[in-house]
Amino acid sequence: MDETRVLKQNIVQANREVKHDVKVTNNLPSADDVENKPVDPHKKAVSAVPQASNVTTATTAFTATSNNNTGRNKWSLGDFDIGKPLGKGKFGSVYLAREKRSKFIVALKVLFKSQLQSAGVEHQLRREIEIQSHLRHPNILRLYGYFHDKSRVYLILEYAPEGELYKHLQRKHRFSEETAASYIAQMAAALQYCHQKKVIHRDIKPENILLGLKGELKIADFGWSVHAPTSRRTTLCGTLDYLPPEMIENRPHDDKVDLWSLGVLCYEFVVGRPPFEADGHTETYRRITKVIYTIPDYVSSDAADLIKKLLRFDPAQRLPLTGVLNHRWITSKCNITIPVVPQSTESQ
């Protein structure tokens, strides 16, 4: 069976699921409902990709519409059929959705303004939208557009059928080195693209990575990312287990924080836990700042070598992303073709 037929069949399945499980679009839950009724984590997501029954036509139609709908109020909730919940976050939930005109399948992230304002993170959301909407890479989740009403903000996102990478890691405990190398290579390529655009992610972790239909990796959450073309940052952000020493010590930092996080990610992929994990934040901080960790014997020498070259206290000593992509562990274990994005490529 050829790939196009498989895509079409998966889309038909997704469309049926949305049609069967449609909720009235003006009856989305309130902020209180979302807080009190978490999404069932065991509920299976639809197996589909973000194209409609005619893959090429629907993709073109939706993309053209999203490119034209650049103003804040061009889209509205009435443009979408809302399907079942896909996940729940701190400030809202994500739903499977279908744009009515093109039949294009997307993930609709619904955030409540009251909760965003209470937490004082409106600027973070604005930054996330600004950055992610301008990124175009096969390993970065696409943000097609956004809109808002009186109480909610809606982000129209690419749908990643295989869900969170973290859940796959939990089920498998740790990945094979072939799988881990493929994931790290995709991460390195995506981060290389981000850094060319002067974007630092600053919150790399398995929970912020999704998987597409064919298992391709998608960096998904840019809430802590920053566009820093000239300045070094001093903000403490990100997730504790993945924070580099310079951020813990409140020293200025640059895009090399993502190299450290990539090393932590590589370790967690092949070992099954973060390298600096400890009982209590204080001990975790100490281990990070002293770069204290051990690599189990079952990890290959090549994988261990890459981890050691990324987890360096001195940011300038960390292996650059080009070096990661050319590292022997990646070239020998990675079994997929990594997309090459020329440095001159601009966001469309």
Side-chain angles (χ1 to χ4, degrees):
M1 185 177 295
D2 68 295
E3 184 178 345
T4 301
R5 266 176 85 191
V6 172
L7 290 176
K8 289 182 179 181
Q9 286 182 355
N10 281 322
I11 287 306
V12 169
Q13 178 186 347
N15 286 341
R16 286 173 179 163
E17 182 83 23
V18 175
K19 186 174 181 179
H20 175 73
D21 198 25
V22 162
K23 305 182 191 304
V24 178
T25 54
N26 59 5
N27 266 346
L28 283 172
S30 67
D32 290 336
D33 290 334
V34 171
E35 285 185 296
N36 297 327
K37 299 177 182 177
V39 172
D40 181 359
H42 302 294
K43 193 170 185 180
K44 182 173 172 57
V46 182
S47 177
V49 290
Q51 287 93 354
S53 53
N54 185 314
V55 178
T56 304
T57 303
T59 304
T60 303
F62 180 80
T63 305
T65 305
S66 64
N67 288 339
N68 289 331
N69 288 359
T70 53
R72 291 187 176 185
N73 298 311
K74 297 290 186 179
W75 291 106
S76 72
L77 196 55
D79 293 320
F80 298 89
D81 291 322
I82 307 299
K84 68 182 182 182
L86 297 175
K88 180 181 180 296
K90 186 175 181 181
F91 303 110
S93 297
V94 181
Y95 296 87
L96 183 67
R98 183 178 60 207
E99 201 270 327
K100 292 178 179 178
R101 188 178 64 82
S102 66
K103 308 301 182 186
F104 192 86
I105 302 295
V106 298
L108 194 65
K109 189 173 183 178
V110 183
L111 304 167
F112 292 96
K113 290 182 177 179
S114 59
Q115 295 179 357
L116 294 168
Q117 289 165 353
S118 296
V121 294
E122 305 99 313
H123 69 289
Q124 190 174 316
L125 176 62
R126 284 194 296 268
R127 185 169 60 199
E128 178 178 4
I129 292 171
E130 276 181 23
I131 291 173
Q132 196 170 353
S133 63
H134 287 91
L135 298 178
R136 304 285 189 276
H137 189 278
N139 298 122
I140 296 175
L141 197 76
R142 180 81 180 270
L143 173 61
Y144 295 113
Y146 71 100
F147 59 97
H148 65 93
D149 57 26
K150 184 177 180 181
S151 59
R152 305 178 183 95
V153 178
Y154 305 85
L155 305 186
I156 310 166
L157 295 162
E158 177 183 357
Y159 174 51
E162 292 301 313
E164 288 182 10
L165 179 64
Y166 179 67
K167 292 179 180 177
H168 291 264
L169 182 58
Q170 281 185 312
R171 285 196 295 269
K172 293 181 179 292
H173 303 296
R174 59 188 174 95
F175 294 132
S176 70
E177 292 205 7
E178 289 75 17
T179 298
S182 296
Y183 287 156
I184 293 299
Q186 292 174 73
M187 282 296 302
L191 288 173
Q192 190 174 53
Y193 170 82
C194 287
H195 293 178
Q196 287 173 12
K197 302 293 182 185
K198 308 301 181 185
V199 171
I200 312 170
H201 190 281
R202 304 197 300 177
D203 196 18
I204 298 297
K205 59 181 178 178
E207 295 90 333
N208 286 343
I209 301 169
L210 301 177
L211 294 176
L213 177 67
K214 294 182 285 187
E216 71 277 19
L217 181 148
K218 305 276 186 180
I219 301 179
D221 193 329
F222 283 78
W224 280 117
S225 59
V226 64
H227 184 252
T230 56
S231 62
R232 291 169 64 87
R233 310 290 297 186
T234 56
T235 310
L236 179 64
C237 58
T239 303
L240 179 59
D241 287 321
Y242 280 73
L243 286 178
E246 60 267 31
M247 291 182 71
I248 286 179
E249 295 175 344
N250 288 318
R251 291 186 278 119
H253 60 270
D254 56 18
D255 58 10
K256 294 179 181 62
V257 299
D258 288 340
L259 299 178
W260 174 277
S261 297
L262 190 63
V264 176
L265 192 69
C266 185
Y267 184 101
E268 185 164 2
F269 282 172
V270 297
V271 176
R273 58 176 174 79
F276 306 103
E277 189 176 62
D279 294 330
H281 289 180
T282 302
E283 177 60 17
T284 301
Y285 282 137
R286 188 185 75 83
R287 292 185 184 183
I288 291 172
T289 54
K290 301 295 184 183
V291 196
I292 299 172
Y293 67 97
T294 57
I295 300 177
D297 292 339
Y298 57 76
V299 176
S300 71
S301 59
D302 284 344
D305 182 71
L306 177 58
I307 291 167
K308 291 173 184 176
K309 286 178 176 175
L310 289 168
L311 297 182
R312 298 278 179 88
F313 180 86
D314 182 357
Q317 295 299 314
R318 293 169 196 161
L319 187 67
L321 292 168
T322 301
V324 173
L325 290 169
N326 291 320
H327 190 276
R328 183 168 60 182
W329 184 65
I330 296 294
T331 58
S332 65
K333 296 288 187 181
C334 179
N335 52 17
I336 63 172
T337 301
I338 302 302
V340 177
V341 179
Q343 290 199 19
S344 59
T345 298
E346 296 295 333
S347 298
Q348 300 298 315

